[in-house]
Amino acid sequence: MRFDTARQAWHDAFDGSAAAFDYEAMGGRSTATLSTRRGRKVVIRGEVEGKADQVICRIDAPRVSGAETVVGKGSGSRVMDACERGIIQNVVARLRDSDPLAYCWGMAAYAPPAKRFKERAALLQFLMSEFDKWEEPHPREKVSQLALFCISACALRDVNGRSIDLAQARSILGCDKKRWDREWKSLWQRLQRRLDTLPARALGPVAEVVEVYKEKMLKVG
């Protein structure tokens, strides 16, 4: 695999059949699956307003399967590729133990789509638990939709610099700009700030390994 950037290394480490690890995301929640026309739907449950086992959200599980990437000719290249993936996977596994929230961000933002939905659900649960502390009057169902959009939009901004389209957020809520500015803008900013530190926390350990590996490859070359 290539060791160009931390984001790319994270993605490649979990892309294909060599990356068979299925790490559980953050604890403190239970999941169940329901059949839908589009595939599976994951139901996230937790404690809401002092009541246990309440439905926090439902998220479609993508029907995407990883395909093995051909990295070179011969078994030696495949073995080397698997070993390199294992290096990054090991770093991510340690991050999962030391900083579960950063781990969830990394998997949700940088891993291939088929690997993302559990961790994205965990991030959503985190944002909704933060919202519960604020005692805001906003409808919880609408907030969960906004929080899910916030996770996806912030991930796209992190990965490729794509600016966040707040018109889409307003469309999700069914409100115009005046109502957005008056009722939702401050809540959006609070949700976004809860995610702002996660990219650096997730990428830091992986970036260290990538830089060391690149230095060694330059010396060998």
Side-chain angles (χ1 to χ4, degrees), residues 6 31 86 106 125 136 167 179 202:
T31 62
Q125 184 184 24
E136 294 273 358
R179 185 182 173 195

Side-chain angles (χ1 to χ4, degrees), residues 127-221:
L127 290 182
M128 294 308 295
S129 66
E130 292 293 293
F131 168 74
D132 290 337
K133 298 174 186 176
W134 301 335
E135 298 182 352
E136 294 273 358
H138 302 80
R140 205 168 191 280
E141 182 180 357
K142 289 289 187 181
V143 175
S144 66
Q145 295 173 4
L146 182 63
L148 191 57
F149 172 77
C150 185
I151 293 167
S152 299
C154 289
L156 287 172
R157 181 187 62 181
D158 178 16
V159 172
N160 57 26
R162 183 181 301 179
S163 59
I164 296 176
D165 183 6
L166 292 181
Q168 187 176 351
R170 295 195 295 270
S171 176
I172 291 172
L173 297 173
C175 66
D176 57 20
K177 189 175 186 306
K178 288 185 178 179
R179 185 182 173 195
W180 166 267
D181 291 339
R182 183 176 66 252
E183 299 180 13
W184 291 98
K185 184 177 179 179
S186 61
L187 177 62
W188 162 265
Q189 291 171 339
R190 294 179 80 176
L191 292 172
Q192 186 172 288
R193 282 197 294 269
R194 293 301 183 275
L195 302 177
D196 282 345
T197 64
L198 297 183
R201 286 160 54 183
L203 292 171
V206 178
E208 291 180 10
V209 174
V210 169
E211 290 305 313
V212 170
Y213 200 90
K214 286 166 67 175
E215 290 179 4
K216 289 183 178 179
M217 292 300 292
L218 287 173
K219 290 180 181 178
V220 172

Side-chain angles (χ1 to χ4, degrees), residues 11-217:
H11 175 276
D12 289 359
F14 291 90
D15 185 24
S17 58
F21 295 94
D22 183 20
Y23 297 121
E24 287 295 327
M26 294 172 62
R29 79 192 192 289
S30 61
T31 62
T33 57
L34 300 174
S35 296
T36 66
R37 290 183 179 179
R38 291 184 295 173
R40 292 182 304 153
K41 187 176 285 291
V42 179
V43 180
I44 309 300
R45 297 179 179 273
E47 184 172 326
V48 181
E49 297 179 352
K51 298 180 181 179
D53 202 36
Q54 300 296 301
V55 174
I56 296 175
C57 66
R58 294 177 174 86
I59 297 179
D60 291 323
R63 284 180 170 176
V64 181
S65 58
E68 184 175 5
T69 302
V70 178
V71 296
K73 296 181 179 180
S75 60
S77 295
R78 290 193 294 271
V79 170
M80 186 62 181
D81 182 62
C83 291
E84 290 170 342
R85 293 182 188 212
I87 292 171
I88 301 300
Q89 289 174 357
N90 186 49
V91 174
V92 172
R94 292 200 302 269
L95 180 66
R96 178 198 176 196
D97 294 332
S98 63
D99 193 344
L101 199 59
Y103 158 81
C104 286
W105 175 262
M107 292 300 290
Y110 314 130
K115 304 287 184 179
R116 295 179 181 178
F117 70 95
K118 289 183 180 179
E119 287 73 22
R120 190 173 66 154
L123 290 171
L124 178 59
Q125 184 184 24
F126 162 69
L127 290 182
M128 294 308 295
S129 66
E130 292 293 293
F131 168 74
D132 290 337
K133 298 174 186 176
W134 301 335
E135 298 182 352
E136 294 273 358
H138 302 80
R140 205 168 191 280
E141 182 180 357
K142 289 289 187 181
V143 175
S144 66
Q145 295 173 4
L146 182 63
L148 191 57
F149 172 77
C150 185
I151 293 167
S152 299
C154 289
L156 287 172
R157 181 187 62 181
D158 178 16
V159 172
N160 57 26
R162 183 181 301 179
S163 59
I164 296 176
D165 183 6
L166 292 181
Q168 187 176 351
R170 295 195 295 270
S171 176
I172 291 172
L173 297 173
C175 66
D176 57 20
K177 189 175 186 306
K178 288 185 178 179
R179 185 182 173 195
W180 166 267
D181 291 339
R182 183 176 66 252
E183 299 180 13
W184 291 98
K185 184 177 179 179
S186 61
L187 177 62
W188 162 265
Q189 291 171 339
R190 294 179 80 176
L191 292 172
Q192 186 172 288
R193 282 197 294 269
R194 293 301 183 275
L195 302 177
D196 282 345
T197 64
L198 297 183
R201 286 160 54 183
L203 292 171
V206 178
E208 291 180 10
V209 174
V210 169
E211 290 305 313
V212 170
Y213 200 90
K214 286 166 67 175
E215 290 179 4
K216 289 183 178 179
M217 292 300 292

